């Protein structure tokens, strides 16, 4: 006997129209007027005698049937504080603040992001570096031996502000890291969320090489082998370190922290920060539990057990060895600290100095030439600079307000040094909050002078409507590589001549299914990890 179903009457729905909500269209109003006139002909006198709210009528009708009505309220609800009466977030190219929260950019109360003074002048509120009069022996060595190497006349900055070539949808997932080849000027390596490694010759952009057998999930960081520039070390969230030959794509696993596979989130270890100590022949990598591990380059074997260098259970997202003294190790993590270590006596709690931050530290780097400065990027929308590691490190020399706090699935923003700058003052970083450029919401890439906090340049292209969190400056040429969503863009300086050069479409390649649609006018691709094949060509 087939089962019998009991039909239930659909409950009445009472809709409260908010005064701030949009009014009905003219066609709907005309239809409503016709219905009201036809219904009101026979009940005009009755309605005049008893003025009853139609909402109360429906509620009472629902109570007669013994079922409570469902009330739907068309009110504006803030996505930030979950309260009604206002909205917050991006509206077109403008970010609207929640009035119950401080400014989203500088995190200070009293104003909104639109009126934040840091959007007008980046150097506003930057704490100047104090003039130190110390008799520390390390300061004396720095003044006498290292500082004379820095030229006294500051050269002009060369900004790559024009897209020279691009490969659209080069990866199948968002790009997580970029690295230029140490000897070949036209080779760029890129990693993505799927664990793939791309090798791009941006002089031959039609040749696409992507190795997909390295890792099973996010490729977080990569470094070249200092003894052999044909191999690269990669660290992934699958808990493995791989050494890959760039010619053949053959990968060798050096360490696996999850040999038994997935046993639950409490035991799964992921690898993030990675760097190579050339003097000791070591690969150092940080995991998601606060430990740092070492691998011998010569034997390709792990050395001992991991050492706890950050709070237990937090990620070690960045590692960097000093370029002049590789035994000095700089680390940063999710415990809101950046720390300086002596790699010769690396033990838990033995850090030389601790640099506290208010929120998660995305990256921490020594300066590329002298190694005497420190640059950190934090989620509290601050870029912090220490002018000398030999002086007082209790407070940073400068704090620069910059938009890098995000609330979506993105690769974290990291301020990167310009390795060619002899003054060690120019850095590049992507911007999260968009700006309105001729009606388009664009997220520019910023060049900042960290010695003054001044915004030197903001570069953007109307074709790049996605956020560009991954940026890398070329170590020898005046080039900039940008990873925006799944695409790679190569920037170069504009020609100084007054002749306007036409765009060479041969230098713009679209990969995948989007290649068939590149002649159509489509919406810009999203910043998340969806597979929608859309791209905007203008």
């Amino acid at each position: 006997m087939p089962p019998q179903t009991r039909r239930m009457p659909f409950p009445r729905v009472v809709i409260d129209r908010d005064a701030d909500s949009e009014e009905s269209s003219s066609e709907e109003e005309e239809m409503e007027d016709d219905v009201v006139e036809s219904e009101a002909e026979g009940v005009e006198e009755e309605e005049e005698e008893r003025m009853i709210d139609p909402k109360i009528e429906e509620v009472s009708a629902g109570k007669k049937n013994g079922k409570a009505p469902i009330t739907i309220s068309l009110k504006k609800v803030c996505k930030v504080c979950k309260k009604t009466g206002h909205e917050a977030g991006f509206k077109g190219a403008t970010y609207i603040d929640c009035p119950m929260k401080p400014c989203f950019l500088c995190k200070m109360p009293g104003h909104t992001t639109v009126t934040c003074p840091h959007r007008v002048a980046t150097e506003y509120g930057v704490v100047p570096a104090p003039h130190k009069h110390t008799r520390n022996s390390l300061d004396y060595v720095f003044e006498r031996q290292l500082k004379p190497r820095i030229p006294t006349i500051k050269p002009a900055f060369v900004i790559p502000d024009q897209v020279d070539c691009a490969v659209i949808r080069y990866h199948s997932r968002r790009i997580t890291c970029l690295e230029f080849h140490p000897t070949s000027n036209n080779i760029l390596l890129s990693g993505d969320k799927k664990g793939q490694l791309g090798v791009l010759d941006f002089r031959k952009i039609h040749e696409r090489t992507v190795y997909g057998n390295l890792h099973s999930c996010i490729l977080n960081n990569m470094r070249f082998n200092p003894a052999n520039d044909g191999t690269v070390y990669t660290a992934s969230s699958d808990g493995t370190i791989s050494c890959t030959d760039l010619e053949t794509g053959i990968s060798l696993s050096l360490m696996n922290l999850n040999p038994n596979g997935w046993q639950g989130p409490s035991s799964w270890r992921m690898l993030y920060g990675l760097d190579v100590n050339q003097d000791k022949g070591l690969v150092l990598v940080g995991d998601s539990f606060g430990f740092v591990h070492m691998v011998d380059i010569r034997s390709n074997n792990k050395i001992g057990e991991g050492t706890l260098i950050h709070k237990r259970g937090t990620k070690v997202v960045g590692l960097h060895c000093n370029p002049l003294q590789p035994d000095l190790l700089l680390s940063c993590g999710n415990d809101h600290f950046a720390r300086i270590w002596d790699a010769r006596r690396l033990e838990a709690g033995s850090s030389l100095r601790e640099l506290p931050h208010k929120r998660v530290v995305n990256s921490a780097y020594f300066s590329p030439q002298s190694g005497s400065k420190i640059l950190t990027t934090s989620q509290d929308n601050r870029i912090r600079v220490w002018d000398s590691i030999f002086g007082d490190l209790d407070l940073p020399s400068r704090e620069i307000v910059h938009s890098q706090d995000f609330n979506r699935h993105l690769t974290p923003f990291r301020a990167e040094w310009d390795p060619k700058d002899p003054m060690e003052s120019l850095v590049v970083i992507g911007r999260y909050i968009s700006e309105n450029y001729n009606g388009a919401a664009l997220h520019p890439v910023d060049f900042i002078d960290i010695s003054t906090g001044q915004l030197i340049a903001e570069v953007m292209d109307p074709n790049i409507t996605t956020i560009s969190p991954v940026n890398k400056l070329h170590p020898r040429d005046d080039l900039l590589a940008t990873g925006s969503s799944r695409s790679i863009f190569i920037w170069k300086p504009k020609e100084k001549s007054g002749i306007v050069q036409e765009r060479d479409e041969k230098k713009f390649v679209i990969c995948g299914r989007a290649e068939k649609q590149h002649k159509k006018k489509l919406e810009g691709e999203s910043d998340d990890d969806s597979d929608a094949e859309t791209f905007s060509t203008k």
Side-chain angles (χ1 to χ4, degrees):
M1 182 176 178
Q4 296 181 356
T5 58
R6 183 181 178 184
R7 289 198 172 188
M8 300 294 293
F10 193 79
R12 293 179 178 271
V13 179
V14 180
I15 299 179
D16 297 335
R17 181 177 294 278
D18 189 39
D20 296 333
S21 61
E22 297 181 1
E23 298 181 358
S24 303
S25 62
S26 58
E27 295 181 359
E28 294 176 347
E29 291 177 355
E30 291 176 2
M31 294 176 61
E32 290 177 359
D33 292 341
D34 296 340
V35 175
V36 171
E37 288 176 3
S38 62
E39 291 181 352
E41 289 178 358
V43 293
E44 264 187 356
E45 297 177 356
E46 189 176 354
E47 289 292 334
E48 289 177 358
E49 292 177 0
R50 54 187 189 119
M51 298 296 294
I52 300 177
D53 190 356
K55 177 180 175 180
I56 300 177
E57 272 190 336
E58 290 189 352
V59 172
S60 59
K63 289 182 178 179
K64 289 180 181 179
N65 296 333
K67 297 178 179 58
I70 298 175
T71 304
I72 300 176
S73 179
L74 301 178
K75 295 182 179 179
K76 296 179 180 179
V77 179
C78 177
K79 296 181 180 179
V80 179
C81 66
K82 309 302 181 183
K83 295 183 179 180
T84 59
H86 63 276
E87 293 179 320
F90 282 103
K91 190 173 183 181
T94 305
Y95 183 85
I96 301 176
D97 276 294
C98 174
M100 310 300 294
K101 300 289 183 179
C103 172
F104 185 77
L105 178 58
C106 67
K107 311 299 182 184
M108 300 296 292
H111 61 272
T112 63
T113 304
V114 178
T115 60
C116 181
H118 297 279
R119 292 169 70 97
V120 181
T122 310
E123 68 272 13
Y124 178 86
V126 174
V127 180
H131 185 68
K132 301 180 178 65
H133 293 281
T134 60
R135 295 185 178 181
N136 192 324
S137 58
L138 294 177
D139 286 340
Y140 178 79
V141 172
F142 173 73
E143 293 289 336
R144 293 296 300 270
Q145 296 185 9
L146 299 180
K147 195 172 182 179
R149 300 180 184 177
I150 302 176
T152 56
I153 300 177
K154 188 174 182 179
F157 295 121
V158 180
I159 306 299
D161 52 358
Q162 182 181 25
V163 176
D164 179 53
C165 59
V167 183
I168 310 304
R169 300 192 178 279
Y170 186 75
H171 285 273
S172 58
R173 288 293 186 271
R174 60 177 165 89
I175 295 173
T176 55
C177 55
L178 295 173
E179 196 75 23
F180 281 102
H181 197 277
T183 56
S184 299
N185 292 338
N186 55 334
I187 300 296
L188 175 68
L189 271 63
S190 58
D192 67 1
K193 187 181 177 182
K194 202 174 180 179
Q196 298 177 339
L197 175 66
V199 182
L200 173 66
D201 185 347
F202 49 85
R203 301 302 178 204
K204 304 175 184 177
I205 58 175
H206 295 275
E207 300 177 4
R208 181 171 180 258
T209 303
V210 177
Y211 300 123
N213 57 347
L214 275 66
H215 302 284
S216 59
C217 56
I218 308 176
L219 196 159
N220 290 308
N221 223 320
M222 68 176 79
R223 289 292 185 273
F224 277 92
N225 186 344
N228 181 11
D229 57 11
T231 58
V232 63
Y233 299 104
T234 56
S236 170
S237 292
D238 61 3
T240 63
I241 300 178
S242 296
C243 179
T244 306
D245 187 279
L246 298 180
E247 290 291 335
T248 62
I250 299 176
S251 177
L252 173 65
S253 180
L254 305 183
M255 182 180 70
N256 187 3
L257 298 182
N258 305 299
N260 299 323
W262 176 260
Q263 301 292 330
S266 60
S267 61
W268 185 263
R269 290 176 177 265
M270 297 177 283
L271 298 180
Y272 290 93
L274 174 72
D275 204 3
V276 177
N277 187 329
Q278 185 175 357
D279 290 357
K280 296 292 190 295
L282 298 175
V283 177
L284 297 95
V285 62
D287 67 8
S288 56
F289 282 70
F291 288 81
V292 62
H293 306 269
M294 298 183 185
V295 176
D296 191 345
I297 294 178
R298 292 158 292 187
S299 63
N300 291 333
N301 293 323
K302 182 182 176 182
I303 300 177
E305 298 296 328
T307 304
L308 184 67
I309 62 173
H310 282 267
K311 183 179 178 180
R312 187 181 298 272
T314 60
K315 302 175 184 177
V316 182
V317 296
L319 293 173
H320 189 219
C321 297
N322 192 287
L324 297 185
Q325 296 292 334
D327 288 332
L328 277 181
L329 177 65
L330 180 62
S331 67
C332 61
N334 281 16
D335 59 352
H336 303 184
F337 277 92
R339 293 182 172 92
I340 304 176
W341 304 84
D342 187 349
R344 295 168 295 185
R345 48 185 298 271
L346 198 60
E347 300 175 356
S350 64
S351 61
L352 302 178
R353 294 305 299 265
E354 292 188 347
L355 311 178
H357 294 68
K358 294 182 180 179
R359 289 187 62 186
V360 174
V361 188
N362 295 336
S363 64
Y365 300 111
F366 288 110
S367 53
Q369 297 188 19
S370 68
S372 61
K373 297 181 180 181
I374 294 178
L375 173 71
T376 65
T377 309
S378 177
Q379 281 292 102
D380 61 352
N381 280 345
R382 297 294 191 279
I383 299 174
R384 291 176 173 85
V385 183
W386 284 262
D387 285 336
S388 175
I389 60 175
F390 307 114
D392 185 11
L393 298 179
D394 293 337
L395 295 174
S397 303
R398 272 169 300 283
E399 289 186 1
I400 304 172
V401 176
H402 185 267
S403 175
Q404 60 228 13
D405 182 18
F406 55 91
N407 52 10
R408 62 182 73 180
H409 295 289
L410 289 175
T411 303
F413 292 85
R414 301 182 182 95
E416 298 273 352
W417 294 97
D418 182 4
K420 305 179 298 300
D421 181 20
M423 301 299 294
E424 297 180 329
S425 59
L426 184 64
V427 300
V428 61
I429 183 173
R431 189 190 306 178
Y432 175 64
I433 295 181
S434 62
E435 300 292 344
N436 191 348
Y437 294 98
N438 297 325
L442 302 181
H443 302 264
V445 178
D446 294 332
F447 288 82
I448 300 175
D449 185 353
I450 60 169
S451 62
T452 61
Q454 182 182 2
L455 179 64
I456 301 298
E458 49 182 7
V459 300
M460 77 290 293
D461 189 275
N463 288 305
I464 309 177
T465 57
T466 51
I467 304 173
S468 305
V470 186
N471 297 277
K472 198 78 174 181
L473 285 165
H474 200 282
R476 294 168 296 276
D477 297 335
D478 295 325
L479 296 174
L480 168 68
T482 294
S484 183
S485 187
R486 288 170 271 179
S487 306
I488 296 178
F489 300 88
I490 304 296
W491 304 71
K492 71 173 184 179
K494 291 181 181 178
E495 299 294 337
K496 296 183 179 180
S497 61
I499 302 175
V500 179
Q501 296 184 352
E502 295 183 359
R503 175 172 167 174
D504 188 0
E505 296 294 340
K506 295 181 181 179
K507 293 185 178 182
F508 293 78
V509 178
I510 303 177
C511 300
R513 289 173 291 175
E515 185 177 1
K516 301 177 182 179
Q517 305 172 355
H518 75 280
K519 293 183 180 179
K520 301 179 181 180
K521 294 182 179 180
L522 300 176
E523 297 178 357
E525 63 175 327
S526 59
D527 293 298
D528 57 16
D529 301 316
S530 62
D531 288 329
E533 295 291 344
T534 57
F535 174 69
S536 173
T537 57
K538 299 182 180 179

